[in-house]
Amino acid sequence: MDNRQAIGSWLSGPRAAMEEAGADFGHRGEQLGLPEQGPGSIARPGRRIGALAVDWGLCLLIAYGLFTDGYDARTGNWALLVFLVLSVLTVGTIGFTPGKRLFGLRVVALDTGTVQPLRGLLRSVLLCLAIPALVWDRDGRGLHDRLARTVEVRV
């Protein structure tokens, strides 16, 4: 193996290196019985980050307007609390936040297809901790989704 190939495989990540070696992982969501593309497929990271940015911006505006007199350190803390409440109430009942709806995403439970309030609470608390959301499996689901037995799909 040429040094350039070794460096290239390292830069592209372990999944690409394993696929180049002949391993077949299938598409994201195949193990969960989800389609590869279109409605019902696993949401891509770009859409998820975009929805999170919209939700966070909305929560910052609410915190800025209702709880603090100006933008300071407390605004971020209030925004996190507003984000938690928004996420628990919306994901736990209708399956999406305003940002997720804007980007065409929905959170569904793996077994029932709808998210119950307790699962929404667990998922939201873990999402606010941030670390579980940064640990992904091969299907692109965060640890917060795995523990709550949910998946974020395209509508």
Side-chain angles (χ1 to χ4, degrees), residues 12 15-16 19 24-38 40-45 48 136-142 151-153:
S12 60
R15 181 181 176 115
E19 286 175 345
D24 181 26
F25 290 112
H27 66 272
R28 293 179 189 259
E30 184 174 14
Q31 292 181 331
L32 304 173
L34 300 175
E36 184 174 1
Q37 296 176 349
S41 64
I42 296 249
R44 298 288 182 200
R48 295 175 76 167
W136 291 6
D137 65 1
R138 63 173 260 186
D139 289 320
R141 291 190 321 155
V151 63
E152 197 166 345
V153 297

Side-chain angles (χ1 to χ4, degrees), residues 43-85:
R44 298 288 182 200
R47 284 184 180 216
R48 295 175 76 167
I49 292 170
L52 182 63
V54 168
D55 290 336
W56 184 251
L58 179 66
C59 292
L60 270 175
L61 284 174
I62 292 170
Y64 178 77
L66 295 179
F67 300 113
T68 59
D69 294 329
Y71 187 80
D72 58 9
R74 294 178 305 142
T75 307
N77 293 335
W78 279 107
L80 185 61
L81 181 64
V82 171
F83 180 79
L84 176 65
V85 171

